[in-house]
Amino acid sequence: MATKEEVLEYIKKIAENKVLTKEEVDAAFESGSGITTDVVLKKKIGIAEILYYIGGAVVFLGIAILLAQNWSLLGFGTKVLATLGSGIAAYVVGVLFSRDERTEAAGSAFYLISAMVMPIGIWIVFDYAGFDANSYSSHTLISLILLIAYSLSYYVFRKNIFTFFSIIFGTWLFFSLTSMMVDSGSYFDDWKFYEYRVLVVSIAYMLLGNAFSKNERAPLQGFFYGFGIFGFLSTALALGGWSPEQNIFWELIYPGLVFGALFLSVQIKSKPFLVWGTIFLMAYILKITSEYFSSGMGWPLSLVLAGLAMIGVGYMSFSIKKKFLSA
Amino acid sequence: MEFIKKNITLIVGISIPILMIVFVAASIYLPGLFIKPNVNFLYAYGDEYYSQERFTVQNGKLVKREVPRYESQSYYQPPREESKLFLHDVVKNESREVSFEEAQRLNLDSGTKSSDGFEVINGYQGGGFFPFFGGSGSDYNTRYLKGHNVSKKINLQQRGESYYYDFRFLGWIK
């Protein structure tokens, strides 16, 4: 049996001679270690895939409208069949389509239908079983069931789309569980509590986006970076409040957060960070100008200065994009 | 260790919401373990608008005032209701109905805060997951004892759906 050093040296040699590719070595390692490789679409989503997903969303819309229009006419069995039944059927079609490379992308659209329709199906079952289906505890249970179902699906099929749904249902679980804990107890200011939760979820999304950027889940990076930075900057701006009830901490720290986002856009080569950083820097300039300078200097002069500052921000953003982010 | 090092952003990303859940749970449930309210209070239950009597506290004693019936043939006369008095034991979290005579013997403090720093507040009906869609406001079906970062739901003697005028806090028992 060769030693570890000998094996590594041998791999180095065959890599120099281009006998094996990195992927082949990875596949051999994973098959030996029992780790299943993620079967993921490494290519970016194209027009065809977008059309598949739009189709999936339209199917969901059709089912939702059918239910809404005939809610009182339909019996429990029909409602469950139309939602949970079609959700399970769509999931099975997704599994079958995913087996063939030619229909794999269409399979993802069926997974989308199942993920959108199944929560309604479970909600109907809860409602029929006598639970208050609109309560936070029911939402917690429904989201937990779906999180477990889609996490297991990811474990079995190793597909990006299941990672995506698991995170979405995990987010739902986070909001419903925290709402359930607080209930109607007036422990926190409702708005502030909501804002801090969005802030936490946004930070988590940005970190997940960063984690995904380094592996085969890279196609998910853009979505989580985009929603993460948008949620983070918009919530931080909202937490700043408005004079005279402003929060000085958030108002003072905000420019640092925005410039941090712009700096990170270069470091991690992310366009969503640059775009949202620029938009929220402009929003902050407008907010601060109208909040503090509109009465002293007068609204027209404040607008002129804010406009000039925004032109400056726009130029800076354009320069960063051209210099650092152009492929 | 190698796994943690390699997936540190993923682990931190998943941990932050979990930590917030733990923090929210701790800030809600932990203070209640150490700080407990101990001043009982008196309240009236029954729609005050239709009630035939009004209760007030004067010089630390409960006073009842009969509300004269408005005599008119042309207006609808709603049925008169009787308000009931309840003494709430905050330690056991249960209410006991008391007669007016029994309640009158109690020494009451009609201030909003008790001597141990608690007050009776309405529950809060959140606007769901998206508060900007509206629907938030006071929840008159639930009342809480709130103070020192502790909020305890009060088991009230009430029937069905409650409205603003149904519950009337009268005073803390001295």
Side-chain angles (χ1 to χ4, degrees):
Chain A
M1 191 80 183
T3 63
K4 187 177 155 186
E5 286 74 26
E6 284 170 345
V7 174
L8 289 171
E9 192 56 39
Y10 185 63
I11 291 173
K12 208 171 153 187
K13 269 186 193 156
I14 56 175
E16 277 168 10
N17 297 329
K18 295 188 170 50
V19 178
L20 277 174
T21 63
K22 188 175 176 295
E23 285 73 26
E24 284 168 333
V25 177
D26 283 347
F29 178 84
E30 278 155 4
S31 79
S33 63
I35 299 167
T36 323
T37 317
D38 284 12
V39 186
V40 291
L41 289 167
K42 287 190 180 175
K43 61 177 184 278
K44 286 208 164 188
I45 291 173
I47 295 291
E49 284 80 15
I50 290 170
L51 287 174
Y52 286 144
Y53 290 130
I54 290 173
V58 169
V59 171
F60 163 74
L61 210 64
I63 294 170
I65 292 171
L66 170 84
L67 278 176
Q69 283 183 338
N70 304 290
W71 185 258
S72 52
L73 298 174
L74 298 175
F76 169 69
T78 321
K79 283 178 193 168
V80 170
L81 208 66
T83 52
L84 203 58
S86 57
I88 293 167
Y91 185 93
V92 173
V93 173
V95 172
L96 294 174
F97 275 17
S98 299
R99 288 177 154 193
D100 191 328
E101 208 178 307
R102 291 168 299 172
T103 53
E104 195 179 0
S108 296
F110 280 91
Y111 286 135
L112 177 73
I113 296 170
S114 80
M116 289 169 99
V117 167
M118 270 210 262
I120 305 176
I122 301 174
W123 185 91
I124 289 169
V125 172
F126 269 58
D127 189 49
Y128 190 75
F131 293 102
D132 177 4
N134 288 321
S135 68
Y136 290 129
S137 46
S138 294
H139 277 255
T140 304
L141 261 175
I142 294 171
S143 54
L144 183 66
I145 291 167
L146 289 163
L147 173 65
I148 293 170
Y150 281 94
S151 299
L152 283 175
S153 301
Y154 170 73
Y155 185 75
V156 175
F157 298 112
R158 317 294 289 191
K159 282 186 173 298
N160 266 349
I161 197 153
F162 293 128
T163 312
F164 176 78
F165 291 141
S166 299
I167 295 169
I168 297 299
F169 291 129
T171 308
W172 183 11
L173 175 65
F174 169 74
F175 277 98
S176 47
L177 181 65
T178 45
S179 293
M180 186 184 82
M181 287 196 294
V182 171
D183 196 22
S184 60
S186 299
Y187 297 96
F188 314 110
D189 176 298
D190 198 43
W191 256 109
K192 287 273 179 291
F193 184 47
Y194 187 80
E195 285 165 355
Y196 278 109
R197 285 186 294 173
V198 173
L199 197 75
V200 161
V201 165
S202 304
I203 294 169
Y205 274 19
M206 286 188 283
L207 288 167
L208 291 176
N210 186 257
F212 294 159
S213 66
K214 294 163 195 161
N215 55 31
E216 62 277 4
R217 280 179 285 280
L220 298 174
Q221 171 204 321
F223 177 88
F224 287 106
Y225 270 163
F227 275 89
I229 193 65
F230 169 74
F232 181 75
L233 292 178
S234 56
T235 317
L237 190 69
L239 280 166
W242 195 272
S243 177
E245 288 173 1
Q246 73 274 52
N247 184 317
I248 295 294
F249 170 77
W250 284 107
E251 282 203 336
L252 285 178
I253 206 176
Y254 198 78
L257 298 177
V258 174
F259 282 110
L262 293 171
F263 174 74
L264 274 175
S265 74
V266 178
Q267 290 292 309
I268 59 176
K269 296 207 177 300
S270 166
K271 280 179 189 165
F273 271 66
L274 178 68
V275 171
W276 288 118
T278 308
I279 290 171
F280 279 103
L281 182 56
M282 290 178 176
Y284 179 72
I285 290 169
L286 273 178
K287 177 182 179 274
I288 293 296
T289 313
S290 57
E291 202 177 344
Y292 295 108
F293 302 110
S294 57
S295 54
M297 289 194 296
W299 183 235
L301 186 61
S302 306
L303 278 179
V304 170
L305 290 177
L308 287 173
M310 283 162 73
I311 292 169
V313 170
Y315 180 74
M316 175 200 70
S317 173
F318 177 73
S319 305
I320 290 174
K321 190 182 174 210
K322 202 174 163 190
K323 199 169 177 185
F324 299 105
L325 299 182
S326 294
Chain B
M1 201 62 194
E2 185 65 27
F3 176 82
I4 295 173
K5 218 172 158 184
K6 206 174 162 189
N7 297 290
I8 189 71
T9 45
L10 182 70
I11 292 164
V12 175
I14 294 170
S15 305
I16 288 176
I18 295 171
L19 281 174
M20 187 174 182
I21 292 171
V22 173
F23 172 75
V24 169
S27 61
I28 289 172
Y29 303 117
L30 274 184
L33 294 176
F34 307 106
I35 304 163
K36 294 188 190 301
N38 53 34
V39 181
N40 298 338
F41 64 90
L42 184 75
Y43 68 90
Y45 189 85
D47 196 326
E48 191 181 32
Y49 188 74
Y50 298 119
S51 184
Q52 51 200 353
E53 65 267 306
R54 296 273 191 279
F55 293 108
T56 50
V57 176
Q58 286 176 8
N59 300 321
K61 290 287 178 189
L62 188 69
V63 175
K64 181 163 71 171
R65 184 171 62 86
E66 296 292 329
V67 180
R69 197 180 174 91
Y70 180 64
E71 296 297 338
S72 169
Q73 297 297 317
S74 51
Y75 291 103
Y76 166 70
Q77 296 284 318
R80 305 305 292 269
E81 283 183 18
E82 192 190 354
S83 288
K84 288 179 176 173
L85 292 164
F86 293 94
L87 182 66
H88 188 80
D89 184 326
V90 295
V91 177
K92 290 181 187 163
N93 195 14
E94 56 187 35
S95 294
R96 175 172 68 86
E97 190 178 342
V98 289
S99 64
F100 173 69
E101 289 71 28
E102 196 182 337
Q104 223 179 4
R105 286 197 291 273
L106 299 167
N107 288 317
L108 299 170
D109 168 13
S110 57
T112 50
K113 268 199 174 166
S114 67
S115 54
D116 58 352
F118 280 87
E119 61 183 321
V120 178
I121 57 159
N122 292 321
Y124 185 82
Q125 188 76 58
F129 297 108
F130 306 103
F132 33 81
F133 289 153
S136 59
S138 288
D139 174 11
Y140 300 116
N141 285 302
T142 54
R143 299 287 193 300
Y144 287 80
L145 262 181
K146 193 180 179 186
H148 311 290
N149 293 323
V150 175
S151 191
K152 278 182 183 289
K153 194 174 182 180
I154 306 170
N155 289 328
L156 293 174
Q157 287 280 344
Q158 59 185 32
R159 49 168 203 281
E161 185 110 338
S162 269
Y163 299 97
Y164 177 75
Y165 290 109
D166 282 336
F167 173 89
R168 274 152 289 139
F169 171 81
L170 293 168
W172 303 99
I173 315 292
K174 286 201 270 191

